[in-house]
Every structure is written in C-alpha cells, then in structure tokens.
Amino acid sequence: MVQNAGKRFGKTEALSGVSFEVNHGELFGLAGPDGAGKTTLFRILTTLVLPDTGSATVLGLDAVRDMWKIRSRVGYMPGKFSLYGDLTVKENLSFFASVFGTTIEKGYDLIAPIYSQIEPFAERRADALSGGMKQKLALSCALVHRPDILFLDEPTTGVDAVSRREFWDQLRVLRDSGLTILVSTPYMDEAMRCDRVALMQAGRILEIDIPTEIGSRYPLPLFAITGAERYRLLLELRKASHAHSVFPFGAELHYTDDRAGFDPEVIAGELREYLDYKGFANVQVKSIQAGIEDSFMELMPPPLQKAS
Amino acid sequence: MSGLAIEVVDLTRRFGGFTAVDNISFEVAAGEVFGFLGANGAGKTTAIKMLIGLLAPTSGKAHVAGLDVKTQMDQIRTRIGYMSQRFSLYEDLTVLENIQLYGGIYGLSDAQITERSKAMLASLGLADDFVGRLPLGWKQKLAFSVALLHEPAVVFLDEPTGGVDPLTRRQFWELIYAAAARGTTVFVTTHYMDEAEYCDRISIMVDGHIGAIGTPRELKEKWNVPTIDELFVRLARPA
C-alpha cells in the first residue's frame, strides 16, 4: 500500500522512505511520539500532500494520479479539531454529508452507535461540546459518507482514560463491520489494541507486527525490579556490570541485561546478590516478557544529541 | 516547616450554582511525588488553580509550603514552581536567555543565575540554542528544570509528558525522581494511567470529590483491580 514514501518540508525530513501494507478490514495502528511523521503519512494517504519520493496506493488507487477517486472513498479525522464551531452538531454532520453528495439518513445506521450518544445535543454549537463529545462528532462526520477506509489522526490525544477506552471499543465495532481503519496514537497502551501496529519515530518505521509479537522478539533478558529508594536503586542498577539499560516503569524498574540467551534465573540471582551488597533490603527481581514500550525503546536509535 | 508540603481542608469552589470542587481534603508530604488524576471536568484544574493562587477558594483552607493560599499568596509564589501542559518558555529566546529571564522574575542574583544555568546545561547535556529549535522532549525537560530554578518547595506539573516518546518520558520521570530525592515535592497531573504508578501516592477526582487516594499498590489491593487504569474507569463510570 505504501512504498518508500518520503516527504521533506524545507530542511526537515518528515518522512524518510517508509513502506508498509494494510489489509482490508484491518485495524492498523501507527504508534509514535510527536514528530514521528504520523500526520504527514496520513496527509499523503488522504491525498492532501504529495510525497517527494515513493508511491502510495489506497484502495488500489494511486495517491497522486487518482486523488479525486480516493477522496470520495476515505474518511479522515485530523488531529486538530476541524469541525465548524459556529455550526450546530447537526449542521456539521449535514454539511459533511452534503459535501460527499449524501445525507445523514443514508449514513445513519453506520454512525448510529456513535452519533446517538450526542444526538440529544444536536442543536448545540460544536464549540460548546466537551472534548469527548467533539471527538464523537468528528468521528460521525468522518463516517457519514460510508467510506471504505478510515484515517484517524491521534483521535484520543487529550481525552481522559475513560473516553479513550470507549472510543477504542467503538473502533473495534467498526472494524468488525468490515471497515479498514488506520489510527495513529502517542499512547503505547492503545497500540496494544490494534490488529497490527507500526512503531514510528523520527520519520521512520522501527517495526511492524501484531502488538504481542513485538514484545516477544525483545533480544535480551529483561527483569522487573521493585524495592524502596527507587531513585538510588535505579542509579545503582545502571552500574551493574552487565546492565544494558535501566528504566523506570511505573512502580517497577525494568532492567535489561546485556547477555543474550543467558539463563534469567542466574542473572536474577546475581542481581539480588549485587543489590544486597549495595544495601537494599526486600528487593524483588522477576524475569519478565517485554512489552511494546520496552521494544520501542530498544528499537529507537540512540538519541541525537542536539549539537549547534 | 512541618513535614507537609500541601495541606487541604474542606476546600470548595463554586461557579454560580455549579460546585467544581466539593469539600476536598488531602495532604502531601514534603519530598513526595503525588499524582493528581481525574477525568476531564472532574475538577482537577480548578483545584490546582486554587493551590497555585490563580483562583480564590469559595470556602475551606489550603496551605502550600506552610503558607495560606488565601492570605500569603505572594510568598507562596516564590516557593512554588509550575510547568504547564502548554510549553511555557519563549521559543525565540535561547536556552540561557530563558533561564536569565525566569531567574530574574524569581529574584535570583546574577551570580546565582550564572551558576545554576551552567549546572542546568551540563546536567541536561544541552547547548545554548534557540529554544524553538529544540525537539519537544528537550523543551519539556528544559521547562521542568526552569520551573525548579528558584529551588521551590513544591513544583506543579500539568500533563508534562504529552506527546513525547517512551524514552523521553522516562528521562522526564528520572528528573522528577531526582528532584524528589533532593526534597522537592512534586505534584503532577497526567492522562497516562500507567504513569500514575510512577507516583508515591495518587488521588483520583470524580465529580468534584476525591474518589480514591493512596499509594498505587494500596488502591489496587483495596479495589481489587490489576491496574490504576481499571480503577479509574470504575470510579468515573460506576456500573
């Protein structure tokens, strides 16, 4: 679907030759921080910017040559709230329907599970909606013309944990109805809810796979360590002779050992001894399977020191 | 000073007929990393505004760094740091110029500013470039360091880690731990529920009340949930 697509804005390389494919009916995630190139990629796929290099096809249509054909068949929810704040909920929806030559009624059964939640506020101006309601309206507007593929650019940024969860439940329902969905997110826990996910950083794709597979390919032994004096524990662990990396992870610390293929129990025993020697009492050391965040950090190129 | 960095008793704020913060009470110990969570509209921002002196309480009491938010606000402002979710440094000034500006605002001497800015650049590993040219993660780390410039007793962080990569997020938390290890109290809001578990203690606001408060482990045990995310959903959307 996307082959070697690249895009520069002036001197900034927003997207440096990314390639991937998305299957019909897939819920596909692009996970990465601000500046990873997620939005640029979406703009290329929705025919809003032209790639400088490479090519992209959407629904079998070329993103440059067939842009008009593509436009009527995709739904796009940009990252920035892009509805008309002075129009009411219903007026916004009618507007988006009419632009695509259809009506609310014709798309109603598809948007009903989402739209019915904000329909009681149909006469309210979009500006006066809460964040969660704006998001539901934007999704309704992106769906009302019954697109074959949906692009959602960071739909849950700034939305609280409860609304985020409901939103993802709705995406699964849409996916189950046969819609292909590409969704970008800076939240790694949301990446876990996709069928497949591309981890993106600095214009590149670090890895693409089923979320649970990504963690299982972690190349080194990984341990979760808990104990008192968390900050000193972190600093001392970094000084352990085979420390590859040590990061805070919620209430735990994640320690990666640099000895690939070593027996985790042997390493755990060594670590307990080392920490005991350093004066930590009651430290728990547990061998664990990597999650998507562990993998993301391991796959990231070393941070570019910003030299000026 | 007592061992309490923040002491809130029956704090309430109404807007007309709407009670945004409804009689909340809690304490934060000096040197603690305290997570202040809640759904959008639960009253978090109103509560924080009262603690940093941007909004007067309707009733109740709050002390920050041992000072009364109603009567000693000017003194409180010199004892707290604040980093907002929207980046608050000046993009067309350099790193050093920003530090000089904020140092001046907080009344530091030239000698203090010179010394602390050197230390800050060295510890962040940062050159003196225009702030607008720094990657987002660096800006946020810098903004945090600048919020600590005048060595406040309490630093308030409003959604400090939005949009950054997982590695930068952890570097940011290490800065928080380092500050707490030096005795600074850190009061932080976040939408990342996994991040709540980095805190020593957390509270979850629900409709103007404090729905739960304690260490992440205590809360998970008490409510019998595997994650804080689960607890958050349960509190905010009672079945």
Side-chain angles (χ1 to χ4, degrees):
Chain A
M1 207 169 153
V2 176
Q3 272 189 354
N4 208 27
K7 181 74 193 173
R8 291 176 161 279
F9 296 108
K11 271 194 263 176
T12 307
E13 194 162 26
L15 209 56
S16 348
V18 304
S19 301
F20 64 96
E21 288 176 3
V22 178
N23 302 315
H24 281 288
E26 198 171 24
L27 176 51
F28 188 90
L30 296 163
D34 290 3
K38 308 186 298 286
T39 298
T40 302
L41 183 56
F42 274 8
R43 289 194 178 145
I44 290 172
L45 294 176
T46 51
T47 78
L48 298 175
V49 303
L50 303 175
D52 294 332
T53 60
S55 65
T57 59
V58 177
L59 304 165
L61 300 164
D62 185 273
V64 178
R65 272 198 325 272
D66 304 321
M67 68 180 235
W68 294 106
K69 283 187 201 151
I70 290 180
R71 285 188 181 188
S72 63
R73 294 180 60 192
V74 304
Y76 177 41
M77 181 172 157
K80 247 173 85 180
F81 182 67
S82 56
L83 304 176
Y84 295 91
D86 295 335
L87 298 186
T88 66
V89 167
K90 196 170 176 190
E91 285 166 346
N92 267 292
L93 193 58
S94 304
F95 173 76
F96 279 90
S98 67
V99 166
F100 288 103
T102 180
T103 61
I104 297 180
E105 290 67 37
K106 284 186 189 156
Y108 193 83
D109 62 300
L110 181 65
I111 62 171
I114 303 137
Y115 184 62
S116 61
Q117 298 173 48
I118 50 171
E119 216 168 359
F121 311 100
E123 302 306 323
R124 190 181 285 192
R125 280 177 28 169
D127 265 348
L129 297 176
S130 72
M133 291 192 331
K134 279 182 182 165
Q135 179 206 45
K136 291 188 175 100
L137 176 59
L139 181 58
S140 302
C141 290
L143 279 174
V144 70
H145 63 293
R146 299 184 165 275
D148 296 308
I149 184 167
L150 187 60
F151 293 93
L152 307 170
D153 194 6
E154 297 206 9
T156 59
T157 293
V159 174
D160 68 53
V162 179
S163 306
R164 286 210 276 137
R165 190 181 279 219
E166 289 173 354
F167 192 82
W168 277 88
D169 291 341
Q170 286 159 354
L171 290 191
R172 297 211 148 216
V173 172
L174 289 170
R175 191 271 319 262
D176 291 343
S177 76
L179 191 64
T180 305
I181 304 175
L182 274 80
V183 57
S184 71
T185 178
Y187 296 98
M188 293 296 147
D189 60 331
E190 293 189 343
M192 290 305 293
R193 305 198 60 176
C194 301
D195 296 327
R196 284 191 310 142
V197 63
L199 303 183
M200 284 190 78
Q201 206 242 345
R204 291 189 161 79
I205 291 180
L206 303 174
E207 175 134 62
I208 304 178
D209 211 330
I210 299 165
T212 48
E213 286 295 312
I214 289 178
S216 72
R217 273 203 301 277
Y218 198 73
L220 294 166
L222 179 70
F223 301 85
I225 300 176
T226 50
E229 294 181 84
R230 191 165 41 184
Y231 188 56
R232 188 169 79 89
L233 190 57
L234 173 91
L235 297 179
E236 291 294 352
L237 275 170
R238 286 218 173 114
K239 292 188 217 151
S241 44
H242 288 282
H244 171 72
S245 67
V246 186
F247 295 114
F249 243 91
E252 305 172 336
L253 299 172
H254 281 191
Y255 168 93
T256 302
D257 200 86
D258 63 13
R259 292 167 288 182
F262 241 66
D263 181 353
E265 281 320 305
V266 173
I267 299 174
E270 278 179 24
L271 284 172
R272 283 186 204 107
E273 236 169 70
Y274 169 75
L275 293 171
D276 187 52
Y277 168 73
K278 289 287 179 181
F280 293 97
N282 296 322
V283 173
Q284 310 279 325
V285 180
K286 199 172 66 183
S287 168
I288 55 164
Q289 156 110 61
I292 203 158
E293 287 204 78
D294 296 299
S295 299
F296 196 106
M297 291 192 287
E298 184 58 31
L299 290 163
M300 272 174 74
L304 306 163
Q305 283 293 344
K306 177 100 185 168
S308 60
Chain B
M1 210 183 95
S2 72
L4 288 184
I6 299 175
E7 192 178 5
V8 173
V9 182
D10 300 334
L11 193 67
T12 298
R13 172 72 202 201
R14 292 194 197 92
F15 297 101
F18 174 67
T19 307
V21 172
D22 192 359
N23 221 29
I24 63 171
S25 300
F26 66 93
E27 292 171 351
V28 180
E32 202 169 21
V33 179
F34 187 80
F36 196 62
L37 316 178
N40 295 332
K44 269 180 320 191
T45 305
T46 305
I48 293 172
K49 279 186 174 170
M50 289 191 276
L51 295 180
I52 61 174
L54 294 177
L55 195 65
T58 307
S59 63
K61 277 191 191 155
H63 283 82
V64 174
L67 301 160
D68 189 326
V69 298
K70 277 185 181 162
T71 58
Q72 297 176 293
M73 207 56 242
D74 288 347
Q75 285 153 277
I76 288 181
R77 290 211 178 110
T78 66
R79 302 288 297 132
I80 63 172
Y82 178 72
M83 178 188 160
S84 83
Q85 117 194 61
R86 288 186 47 195
F87 186 64
S88 53
L89 300 179
Y90 291 88
E91 304 239 324
D92 41 13
L93 296 183
T94 69
V95 173
L96 272 179
E97 286 165 347
N98 268 288
I99 297 172
Q100 281 161 359
L101 174 69
Y102 281 94
I105 291 171
Y106 282 112
L108 300 186
S109 69
D110 288 351
Q112 280 174 319
I113 292 174
T114 309
E115 181 205 318
R116 289 182 198 176
S117 49
K118 260 190 205 158
M120 196 188 297
L121 289 185
S123 76
L124 289 175
L126 207 58
D128 185 29
D129 197 350
F130 285 104
V131 164
R133 283 197 208 148
L134 298 176
L136 177 72
W138 281 108
K139 285 183 189 170
Q140 283 168 313
K141 284 186 267 185
L142 177 65
F144 179 60
S145 300
V146 169
L148 292 174
L149 189 63
H150 56 298
E151 299 178 345
V154 185
V155 64
F156 291 85
L157 308 175
D158 190 7
E159 300 268 341
T161 60
V164 305
D165 65 74
L167 184 62
T168 306
R169 202 142 75 85
R170 283 174 177 76
Q171 291 169 342
F172 198 92
W173 275 96
E174 283 189 47
L175 290 178
I176 292 178
Y177 288 159
R182 290 191 302 268
T184 309
T185 305
V186 182
F187 188 96
V188 58
T189 71
T190 176
H191 276 316
Y192 291 93
M193 288 304 125
D194 62 324
E195 212 160 63
E197 316 220 4
Y198 289 66
C199 301
D200 296 323
R201 280 195 313 138
I202 60 170
S203 73
I204 302 179
M205 274 194 84
V206 183
D207 297 333
H209 301 272
I210 290 188
I213 185 166
T215 68
R217 184 195 282 213
E218 281 166 9
L219 292 180
K220 283 186 282 185
E221 280 170 12
K222 183 177 163 200
W223 293 78
N224 195 24
V225 287
T227 61
I228 294 297
D229 188 47
E230 199 65 44
L231 171 60
F232 187 89
V233 170
R234 205 181 285 188
L235 285 171
R237 293 276 192 286

